[in-house]
Amino acid sequence: MGVWRELSARVEERLEAVSAGERGVFAAGVAERLMSRHEALPVDEQAPFTVSLRPLLNSVWEGVLGDSTAFSAVKRGVAEYTLSEFCHNDGQDGPHAEPDRHVDPVLE
């Protein structure tokens, strides 16, 4: 566990040293990597909710890469999630919980 803490501290230090825009690109890149892995699963193993977040992630990318008009799409996507049954404090016991599924990368 010590190695993970050291790595986490190094990443945190590096992220603090860059601009907010660069941190946004880093976060979008992490979400993209997780989404791409999920999309690479066989279709019957993909969580429909996770796949439904692809347009939101695309809008996040547009925003962090400088498209100021993407903010409204991101805001709408986050609002839709916030108002859905998927936004809860029940952890793995929440609605439609699938304990072996990947984390929904866009919202993390």
Side-chain angles (χ1 to χ4, degrees), residues 10-69:
R10 285 190 6 221
V11 169
E12 183 177 351
E13 182 180 308
R14 289 179 182 180
L15 287 173
E16 287 174 351
V18 300
S19 71
E22 291 167 318
R23 287 190 299 273
V25 171
F26 174 82
V30 170
E32 181 67 43
R33 185 183 63 184
L34 293 170
M35 179 66 83
S36 295
R37 284 185 181 177
H38 190 80
E39 291 170 333
L41 292 171
V43 174
D44 62 332
E45 293 182 28
Q46 294 178 12
F49 173 70
T50 302
V51 174
S52 77
L53 295 172
R54 168 48 78 186
L56 176 55
L57 181 54
N58 290 345
S59 295
V60 168
W61 271 118
E62 291 169 8
V64 299
L65 295 177
D67 182 354
S68 62
T69 65

Side-chain angles (χ1 to χ4, degrees), residues 55-56 59 69-83:
L56 176 55
S59 295
T69 65
F71 177 73
S72 61
V74 172
K75 185 171 63 172
R76 185 174 44 257
V78 171
E80 287 172 2
Y81 165 74
T82 303
L83 296 173

